């Protein structure tokens, strides 16, 4: 599992997958990272039960192992996942800010 993902909770729903959920206290939006065999799904989710099935790229990204060119550049699957995590954290922050603006 990814060492940088330590602010939320990990779970193992099946033998072939691991799920990380990170939602800041008092916030509605957060991120979910699902590690499945040799790829990962990184999502900005609306609450712990929120999910995207083939959702828009803004909210959901599927990350595959690096191709030959990426491997030659030294890019790892972990780096690709963490880049997607940072992107989805920004999306979650933007969505939380929209909620705060609409309630003010």
């Amino acid at each position: 599992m990814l060492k940088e993902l330590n602010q939320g909770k990990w779970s193992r729903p099946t033998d072939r997958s691991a799920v990380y959920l990170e939602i800041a206290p008092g916030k509605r939006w957060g991120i979910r990272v699902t590690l499945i065999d040799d790829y990962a799904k990184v999502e900005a989710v609306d609450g712990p039960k929120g999910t995207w099935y083939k959702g828009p790229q803004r909210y959901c990204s599927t990350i595959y192992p690096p191709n030959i060119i990426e491997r030659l550049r030294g890019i790892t699957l972990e780096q690709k996942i963490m880049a997607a995590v940072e992107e989805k954290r920004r999306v979650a922050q933007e969505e939380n800010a929209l909620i705060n603006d609409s309630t003010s």
Side-chain angles (χ1 to χ4, degrees), residues 1 9-14 17-21:
M1 294 199 229
K9 291 183 180 181
W10 281 99
S11 62
R12 290 288 303 231
T14 69
S17 67
V19 177
Y20 172 77
L21 182 64

Side-chain angles (χ1 to χ4, degrees), residues 2 6 8 15 39 49 59 72-75 83 89 94 97:
L2 304 169
N6 57 12
D15 289 343
Y39 70 96
K49 303 248 185 223
Y59 298 107
L72 289 174
R73 288 184 187 158
I75 297 172
R89 280 180 177 155
E94 290 169 6

Side-chain angles (χ1 to χ4, degrees), residues 59-94:
Y59 298 107
C60 180
S61 297
T62 303
I63 311 301
Y64 294 100
N67 60 31
I68 268 195
I69 309 262
E70 291 169 329
R71 281 185 285 182
L72 289 174
R73 288 184 187 158
I75 297 172
T76 64
L77 178 59
E78 184 172 340
Q79 290 171 329
K80 290 177 72 172
I81 292 171
M82 290 311 299
V85 164
E86 291 305 317
E87 176 187 341
K88 300 310 175 204
R89 280 180 177 155
R90 280 192 301 275
V91 170
Q93 286 175 347
E94 290 169 6

Side-chain angles (χ1 to χ4, degrees), residues 28-60:
R28 182 169 163 186
W29 281 80
I31 63 163
R32 175 184 297 123
V33 179
T34 307
L35 304 175
I36 308 165
D37 289 334
D38 63 342
Y39 70 96
K41 189 172 179 182
V42 181
E43 305 166 284
V45 292
D46 182 10
K49 303 248 185 223
T51 186
W52 295 98
Y53 177 73
K54 294 187 179 181
Q57 183 69 28
R58 171 173 166 78
Y59 298 107
C60 180

